[in-house]
Amino acid sequence: MDYMKLIEKLKKRGSIPGLEAVDGLLDRLGHPEEELPIIHIAGTNGKGSVFACLSSILEEAGYRVGRFVSPSISCYEERFQINGRYITKDELDRFYGMINEAMCKEEEDSNLKPTLFEVETALAFLYFKEKKVDFALIETGMGGMLDATNVIKHPVLTVISSISYDHKAMLGDTLEEIAFQKAGIIKENCPILLSENPPEVSRVIKEQARNKNAYFKEIRTQDYKVTEETAFSNRFRWNNEDYTLNLPGRHQISNAVTALSASEYLLKDMLPAERIKYQKAGLEKAVWPGRLEILKKRPLFYRDGAHNPDGAGKLADFLEKHFTNKKIIYIMGVLKDKEYRKMLEYLMPLARTVFVFRPENERGLCADILADEIRKFGISAVICPDVNEAVRQALAVAKEDDVLVACGSLSFMGEMEEIK
């Protein structure tokens, strides 16, 4: 079948919180998720980074690791991958054919219409079951309690990464309310691992874990020591061992420690020396596109998926720490339903000029509106027709020792041409 036509049709259904439609679809497909050893993660930021580190460690240990990634950056196939290799177009065609048949029957019988993300979730389960993965790493799309992935009933391990403000209309106005929604993925008697978080988040997650009789472990700042932090990599000490992480940014150390703690549990039957060897090698090889990813050295060019105030704040902290005396050239496109004004409050004090564009997304914010908001900070904003023209114009004015950062959303990164 032409699965791209089906994808376009499903996109029009938008996002509908709830599990009834996806559960009905999975019932038609024989509930493949019940036969998978799943690690399930929720969180506002850091989900992908934690899983990039964890999957790299597990792969080093010889396991076959499936990852369901959303959103993707390089291509649609990236969403479904095993040991870093993407699903093929032929496989997508076959699985979408199976799902479409089940979906048509389900719609006919119950009038429930699964959304694109719900269908992708079902596809990931089917694909990983057929390929007999040793571990399936599954990220929530939004929230937790009513997220399509929460049909998972018996995960091997549950992880909650950094929680901050995002999707307030759906998840709530306070950190406690948002944390409660994320905590919806905690299951009875299933261990829960929590990344570093504010105290009010920790209290909510701990209480929900207690209610579910789930073993709870929390990552704390004092659990590790940063030994070297550069604009290109990090080194830190954890459990009396030294680790190298080639993902820049202080926040990535916290994500890496979360992944290490998860691997400690998943590889608990290994001899300690063997486990540590895999952990070190896995972390050193971990990559995660679009997160302080270095695209060019001279001038230094990063792209970062910061798309909410917390992400923008972490990006600003990184830039201020490593480029104290420089003003940044930004390439920016944002989505109109994000708190872009608060993001600008973090980023604009460091800016020299900004090249703005509207992402090719139905939710993309008009470039003129973003430019007007930027100019309120006394920063020049150049309006461009698309991200690649913005990149070309930014590189044209940049000197060899300048720093450029493409940020504001993950949605436009797949549109970016190779930087030369």
Side-chain angles (χ1 to χ4, degrees):
M1 67 170 297
D2 185 350
Y3 65 87
M4 289 309 298
K5 286 183 180 177
L6 179 56
I7 288 171
E8 290 306 314
K9 173 187 168 184
L10 292 170
K11 276 182 181 177
K12 294 173 183 174
R13 295 181 178 178
S15 177
I16 305 169
L19 304 178
E20 195 176 359
V22 67
D23 198 46
L25 177 60
L26 286 166
D27 195 46
R28 297 266 177 188
L29 296 167
H31 281 290
E33 78 281 4
E34 292 183 358
E35 299 177 53
L36 288 169
I38 292 173
I39 297 95
H40 195 192
I41 190 169
T44 308
N45 293 315
K47 296 191 296 286
S49 297
V50 171
F51 270 2
C53 293
L54 179 58
S55 62
S56 189
I57 292 168
L58 295 175
E59 287 166 33
E60 279 296 311
Y63 290 103
R64 191 169 172 78
V65 184
R67 279 189 69 192
F68 175 41
V69 177
S70 181
S72 51
I73 290 180
S74 62
C75 60
Y76 184 76
E77 293 82 3
E78 181 187 354
R79 296 182 182 218
F80 315 94
Q81 51 183 273
I82 296 172
N83 285 21
R85 297 188 68 172
Y86 303 166
I87 193 171
T88 67
K89 287 181 170 62
D90 285 345
E91 287 171 322
L92 274 175
D93 202 55
R94 179 164 58 85
F95 282 112
Y96 262 111
M98 293 165 58
I99 288 173
N100 189 45
E101 187 179 335
M103 189 166 57
C104 288
K105 289 178 181 175
E106 183 64 19
E107 288 180 18
E108 195 175 296
D109 289 351
S110 66
N111 203 33
L112 291 170
K113 297 182 177 182
T115 64
L116 176 58
F117 185 71
E118 290 171 330
V119 167
E120 289 172 341
T121 300
L123 196 154
F125 293 147
L126 276 178
Y127 179 52
F128 296 150
K129 177 191 171 186
E130 181 180 288
K131 298 299 181 182
K132 296 181 170 61
V133 298
D134 297 304
F135 294 106
L137 276 51
I138 306 294
E139 298 179 30
T140 58
M142 181 176 65
M145 186 179 297
L146 299 177
D147 185 78
T149 63
N150 208 29
V151 291
I152 298 164
K153 293 182 173 64
H154 306 290
V156 174
L157 176 67
T158 299
V159 183
I160 295 178
S161 65
S162 172
I163 291 178
S164 59
Y165 295 101
D166 205 0
H167 302 294
K168 286 184 177 180
M170 293 282 197
L171 304 180
D173 293 321
T174 68
L175 283 181
E176 289 92 343
E177 288 173 334
I178 296 169
F180 182 76
Q181 289 293 325
K182 307 284 186 186
I185 71 167
I186 300 172
K187 300 299 187 298
E188 199 77 30
N189 298 311
C190 174
I192 167 71
L193 178 62
L194 177 67
S195 293
E196 285 182 82
N197 266 289
E200 57 267 44
V201 168
S202 178
R203 282 195 297 272
V204 171
I205 305 299
K206 190 179 291 186
E207 181 182 358
Q208 295 308 308
R210 188 165 53 246
N211 291 344
K212 296 288 179 66
N213 196 32
Y215 170 76
F216 171 84
K217 181 177 180 181
E218 181 177 11
I219 307 302
R220 302 167 303 166
T221 307
Q222 57 265 40
D223 292 341
Y224 60 90
K225 180 182 179 183
V226 180
T227 54
E228 184 182 38
E229 189 182 345
T230 77
F232 308 99
S233 64
N234 292 294
R235 286 180 60 81
F236 63 94
R237 191 164 180 80
W238 177 77
N239 275 7
N240 297 314
E241 296 289 338
D242 293 311
Y243 292 88
T244 297
L245 178 68
N246 292 312
L247 299 177
R250 166 68 178 73
H251 56 289
Q252 294 292 20
I253 299 174
S254 179
N255 291 328
V257 172
T258 301
L260 284 168
S261 298
S263 69
E264 196 88 347
Y265 174 77
L266 297 170
L267 305 178
K268 59 181 176 290
D269 294 333
M270 274 187 182
L271 292 170
E274 192 176 16
R275 183 174 62 241
I276 290 166
K277 178 182 74 173
Y278 296 137
Q279 289 172 326
K280 289 188 175 187
L283 272 197
E284 198 159 347
K285 292 178 183 177
V287 293
W288 189 218
R291 283 74 175 179
L292 279 172
E293 179 186 8
I294 299 168
L295 301 180
K296 187 178 174 70
K297 287 286 183 73
R298 295 188 69 84
L300 188 53
F301 193 132
Y302 292 94
R303 68 173 175 180
D304 188 76
H307 59 277
N308 53 39
D310 182 59
K314 286 170 180 171
L315 173 58
D317 288 344
F318 172 81
L319 295 171
E320 194 166 21
K321 179 178 290 184
H322 297 290
F323 307 106
T324 308
N325 299 316
K326 289 185 182 293
K327 287 294 185 180
I328 309 301
I329 299 172
Y330 289 109
I331 295 98
M332 280 193 79
V334 300
L335 302 182
K336 59 189 174 186
D337 55 357
K338 296 294 182 178
E339 294 183 274
Y340 56 87
R341 292 183 183 89
K342 288 186 179 178
M343 291 164 59
L344 294 176
E345 288 176 12
Y346 286 108
L347 298 171
M348 288 307 101
L350 311 173
R352 185 167 95 204
T353 189
V354 188
F355 294 84
V356 302
F357 61 95
R358 180 187 182 278
E360 290 182 16
N361 184 301
E362 65 275 8
R363 294 156 55 208
L365 180 72
C366 173
D368 296 276
I369 296 173
L370 182 58
D372 287 343
E373 292 296 328
I374 287 166
R375 288 167 186 149
K376 290 176 183 177
F377 291 86
I379 304 297
S380 67
V382 180
I383 297 170
C384 303
D386 57 52
V387 62
N388 292 306
E389 182 57 28
V391 169
R392 280 190 284 273
Q393 291 194 34
L395 285 171
V397 302
K399 298 174 183 175
E400 278 211 344
D401 62 346
D402 277 332
V403 179
L404 296 87
V405 179
C407 63
S409 177
L410 284 166
S411 67
F412 65 78
M413 294 192 176
E415 303 159 24
M416 291 180 71
E417 296 168 359
E418 186 178 351
I419 308 294
K420 295 180 181 177

